[in-house]
Amino acid sequence: MADVLKKVPVREQDPKVRATNFEEVCYGYNKEEAMEEATRCINCKNPRCVQGCPVSINIPKFIQELKAGEIEAAYNTISESSALPAVCGRVCPQESQCEGVCIRGIKGEPVSIGKMERFVADWARENGIKPKTAEQKNGHKVAVIGAGPAGLTCAGDLARLGYDVTIFEALHKAGGVLSYGIPEFRLPKSAVVDKEIENVKSLGVTIETDVIIGKSVTIDELMENEGFEAVFIGSGAGLPMFMHIPGENAMGVFSANEYLTRSNLMKAYNDDYKTPIHRGKKVAVVGGGNVAMDAARTALRLGAEVHIVYRRSEEELPARVEEVHHAKEEGIIFDLLCNPVEILVNEDGWVSGMKCIRMELGEPDESGRRRPVPVEGSEFVIDVDTVIMSLGTSPNPLISSTTEGLDVNRKKCIVANEETGETSKNAVFAGGDAVTGAATVILAMGAGKAAAKGIHEYLSK
């Protein structure tokens, strides 16, 4: 019987072994472990976990079904709310969402909701179980821009309501950040991502790749010439930010976007693929979010000594606790309370080091975190030959600049209603990183779900 105060432990690759390969770090639960963990849920009358889930999965219901061994029923319950359960079970920040408000966590460890969701989704995939489709089409056409988490979720929800949905994706492969951003060792592509996308397509969704909205075709043309009655923009935030410090244009400086895209989407980590990637010997990753951890752990697996350089303390790291823990286990060096001021460049134009300054924390800023302040005279140099900037991203302005009547804010994010996804342009909805700037997969999914509901209400008038 499970210790009700503690989670059933999850099996993982040994840190020293996994630091040398791109295989998935976490093995997840088997059936016995998942069912044992399910016994820890007290099936609250007022389940705060559901309120903490951005896509409002009926968590107590699926856990009780899992506890009873009714795994297909548990999958159907999850699928009513989530188009990507095997993804969410792996990359959602459950510790700050569903598990973060779990009653069981008050006097012990919260119920391991994410690991159970992952098990159920993986079991369904391995047993050929598909999400339920709409009984009939309703005759309405909707276009979705972007095949990332927001777009896939919006499309899946609309398809289940009977809409004829087409997703237009700029890249050659669907998935968005799931395919190009999150590394294989956290989120396997062919075994998980591709299968989740196939599930969305099985609902009747069409995905057209290599279509750049704003260049290949505009939103106005989709509506005027191709008969789409509503459009959802879920194009993400793929434009990387930089520090604008001396030496930033040197060879050996990359954005995390480019670095991870080369490794993940273009398989540059695999020697069988003819895709170049710069394999530094000593790499500094500037930033402290999940993307920074992904870039650092990728560089480590490509053979480098890796430093995370972050201007605040560990307490303020925005990355998931699990990702920081895994990075430390694997040997990533954390240079905290440090900020780069210059990238040193040798006579051949390549990075030869990075000059940093020590920081201390002052008063809280607008984000609520204590503002880092430079310590005078504390400059030092980190010996590196490669720098990866992971400072966040903003939306590409192509769509907004080619769509008349679409309002954006000062950060070039599309202005949209949080509850419905409605924008300033009639019949055009938006959500995810294109609206909020870079955020999590599950928040993008929540926005896609809200927009699907908004589109349905709009077209049902």
Side-chain angles (χ1 to χ4, degrees):
M1 190 70 179
D3 178 347
V4 294
L5 295 180
K6 290 188 176 181
K7 293 179 179 181
V8 173
V10 66
R11 293 160 292 116
E12 296 177 344
Q13 273 200 76
D14 179 86
K16 289 181 180 177
V17 175
R18 70 180 190 240
T20 65
N21 66 54
F22 279 80
E23 294 165 18
E24 191 168 13
V25 167
C26 178
Y27 294 130
Y29 285 151
N30 60 28
K31 183 177 178 180
E32 291 71 25
E33 291 164 340
M35 289 178 67
E36 185 180 354
E37 180 63 19
T39 66
R40 298 185 61 237
C41 175
I42 59 175
N43 199 16
C44 304
K45 288 183 179 178
N46 179 28
R48 299 194 302 186
C49 55
V50 177
Q51 298 163 26
C53 174
V55 295
S56 302
I57 292 171
N58 189 335
I59 293 168
K61 184 170 185 274
F62 103 72
I63 291 178
Q64 295 309 307
E65 288 164 339
L66 171 59
K67 179 181 173 181
E70 298 169 1
I71 303 169
E72 184 172 350
Y75 176 72
N76 290 332
T77 296
I78 296 170
S79 295
E80 288 171 4
S81 302
S82 175
L84 307 168
V87 168
C88 293
R90 287 167 164 83
V91 303
C92 267
Q94 289 99 2
E95 66 278 358
S96 61
Q97 293 176 165
C98 55
E99 293 180 19
V101 292
C102 175
I103 294 292
R104 180 61 82 190
I106 294 174
K107 291 187 177 180
E109 294 179 347
V111 175
S112 193
I113 299 166
K115 296 296 188 291
M116 286 189 286
E117 180 184 17
R118 168 185 165 159
F119 165 75
V120 169
D122 287 355
W123 181 93
R125 181 182 69 248
E126 290 159 8
N127 286 274
I129 309 299
K130 296 283 186 182
K132 293 181 178 178
T133 58
E135 291 183 9
Q136 60 184 34
K137 295 282 188 181
N138 62 21
H140 293 288
K141 280 180 72 176
V142 178
V144 170
I145 300 170
L152 290 168
T153 298
C154 184
D157 278 16
L158 288 171
R160 273 190 285 263
L161 290 168
Y163 288 88
D164 182 356
V165 187
T166 301
I167 300 178
F168 297 97
E169 167 57 44
L171 296 177
H172 67 277
K173 187 174 176 61
V177 70
L178 310 176
S179 293
Y180 69 73
I182 302 173
E184 186 79 10
F185 54 81
R186 275 219 295 141
L187 185 62
K189 304 298 172 262
S190 59
V192 176
V193 177
D194 293 351
K195 296 297 190 296
E196 295 275 73
I197 293 168
E198 286 300 318
N199 280 348
V200 173
K201 291 168 73 173
S202 76
L203 296 170
V205 174
T206 299
I207 301 179
E208 293 188 20
T209 56
D210 300 309
V211 180
I212 302 174
I213 302 299
K215 282 192 179 275
S216 306
V217 64
T218 66
I219 286 176
D220 291 319
E221 288 168 345
L222 287 175
M223 300 180 80
E224 292 167 13
N225 304 335
E226 300 193 30
F228 289 103
E229 299 164 74
V231 175
F232 172 71
I233 303 171
S235 51
L239 199 63
M241 298 178 184
F242 288 88
M243 293 189 71
H244 307 293
I245 58 176
E248 205 168 37
N249 292 326
M251 290 184 285
V253 179
F254 302 88
S255 70
N257 278 46
E258 178 187 355
Y259 191 77
L260 290 170
T261 299
R262 282 180 177 274
S263 178
N264 299 328
L265 186 66
M266 302 166 74
K267 309 290 185 186
Y269 68 87
N270 190 329
D271 291 334
D272 293 336
Y273 283 74
K274 296 178 180 178
T275 310
I277 192 166
H278 178 69
R279 295 180 181 237
K281 293 180 180 177
K282 293 187 176 182
V283 176
V285 178
V286 182
N290 290 325
V291 176
M293 300 303 146
D294 287 344
R297 295 172 69 197
T298 296
L300 180 81
R301 284 159 171 76
L302 291 172
E305 173 189 294
V306 184
H307 296 248
I308 288 277
V309 179
Y310 182 61
R311 62 186 185 148
R312 288 182 164 96
S313 70
E314 183 169 347
E315 196 174 308
E316 286 81 27
L317 279 168
R320 291 184 68 188
V321 172
E322 181 179 72
E323 300 310 317
V324 174
H325 171 69
H326 282 157
K328 285 183 172 181
E329 278 189 328
E330 291 165 7
I332 304 289
I333 300 161
F334 282 72
D335 293 316
L336 303 174
L337 289 169
C338 298
N339 203 38
V341 293
E342 180 182 357
I343 294 169
L344 307 178
V345 186
N346 65 23
E347 56 189 20
D348 295 323
W350 284 86
V351 172
S352 63
M354 188 166 71
K355 184 186 288 186
C356 298
I357 190 167
R358 303 283 181 194
M359 309 293 282
E360 59 185 10
L361 297 179
E363 295 300 313
D365 61 15
E366 61 276 2
S367 72
R369 295 179 298 173
R370 292 173 64 194
R371 186 187 301 276
V373 180
V375 176
E376 193 174 337
S378 65
E379 290 88 350
F380 68 103
V381 173
I382 300 177
D383 177 24
V384 293
D385 58 24
T386 304
V387 176
I388 300 171
M389 292 290 181
S390 183
L391 307 169
T393 53
S394 62
N396 188 315
L398 179 62
I399 290 175
S400 57
S401 66
T402 57
T403 307
E404 215 171 298
L406 193 63
D407 289 349
V408 297
N409 62 23
R410 61 182 180 83
K411 294 182 178 180
K412 305 298 182 188
C413 294
I414 297 167
V415 177
N417 183 295
E418 189 176 323
E419 293 182 3
T420 65
E422 289 179 281
T423 70
S424 57
K425 187 174 177 69
N426 187 46
V428 176
F429 297 72
D433 292 3
V435 171
T436 61
T440 62
V441 166
I442 190 62
L443 288 177
M445 289 176 63
K449 194 170 191 65
K453 184 180 177 185
I455 290 169
H456 180 53
E457 290 173 354
Y458 169 77
L459 292 177
S460 299
K461 289 176 183 176

